[in-house]
Amino acid sequence: IMLFEGYAIFGALFMNAVWIIYEYGNANGDDGNDAALNRAFECIMGIALCCNIFLSIYAAGCWMISIAMDSLNEEFVFECRTMLTGLQNLLMFTSQFTQFGLFLAVYKNLYPNLPEIIVTLSFAIIMYVLGTKYFGRHMATCMSLEFWHFPLFVQFMSAPSS
């Protein structure tokens, strides 16, 4: 199934983004930052990294299985629904935790320079709000019936502004 291939490839690519944000947030070490903020950042990025690693591992494994078993089982695509749902959930968790970690990384890295923090976080928040708005509108338009039948947490994590 090509979806497994997509999850595996993009999961591996997203791992670089998670790690870059983690490193960016720790560029200045812990100098001048609140210990609770540092622990929160480490926890959020740790969760994002775990979700991302498991996304890549499971998707790669399913991709290999789909190559080997797809032609042997007529119901293979139908039977993959649960695993695809799990991979989509891991992707959404990775995305949300990484975006929140980005906000904390900007604050940690630019502290105590308040003007730079305000400008950078304002831009990041505007991009986040606009991106989720357009993505939510796109999902609701392209797959309107399916989207509204997703569980509420999936709707919120996929498109919080819709």
Side-chain angles (χ1 to χ4, degrees):
I1 294 180
M2 291 176 59
L3 281 172
F4 288 136
E5 180 182 359
Y7 282 117
I9 291 170
F10 286 107
L13 292 172
F14 293 152
M15 200 173 312
N16 291 326
V18 172
W19 190 254
I20 288 168
I21 292 169
Y22 177 77
E23 288 296 323
Y24 173 75
N26 286 321
N28 293 333
D30 294 339
D31 297 339
N33 288 316
D34 183 14
L37 175 67
N38 291 329
R39 287 196 322 267
F41 176 74
E42 294 287 335
C43 181
I44 287 170
M45 294 311 296
I47 291 170
L49 191 59
C50 287
C51 289
N52 198 196
I53 287 170
F54 288 125
L55 170 65
S56 299
I57 290 170
Y58 294 145
C62 289
W63 184 15
M64 300 299 172
I65 291 170
S66 73
I67 291 170
M69 305 302 275
D70 186 19
S71 62
L72 301 175
N73 185 351
E74 294 177 6
E75 300 294 321
F76 185 78
V77 174
F78 183 76
E79 293 170 1
C80 289
R81 293 174 303 149
T82 303
M83 192 63 207
L84 288 170
T85 301
L87 292 174
Q88 181 63 27
N89 288 338
L90 283 172
L91 179 64
M92 290 185 308
F93 289 135
T94 301
S95 173
Q96 295 298 319
F97 280 108
T98 302
Q99 290 172 19
F100 190 63
L102 174 64
F103 299 144
L104 289 178
V106 166
Y107 180 82
K108 280 184 59 163
N109 199 34
L110 295 177
Y111 182 83
N113 304 319
L114 190 58
E116 289 87 346
I117 291 173
I118 292 171
V119 168
T120 308
L121 282 180
S122 297
F123 180 77
I125 290 169
I126 288 169
M127 296 310 300
Y128 175 77
V129 169
L130 288 176
T132 55
K133 176 182 175 185
Y134 293 134
F135 186 72
R137 186 180 301 155
H138 177 69
M139 282 187 67
T141 302
C142 292
M143 48 183 270
S144 56
L145 184 60
E146 293 87 356
F147 179 73
W148 299 114
H149 284 92
F150 285 157
L152 189 57
F153 81 94
V154 173
Q155 292 178 28
F156 176 71
M157 290 191 70
S158 298
S161 64
S162 59

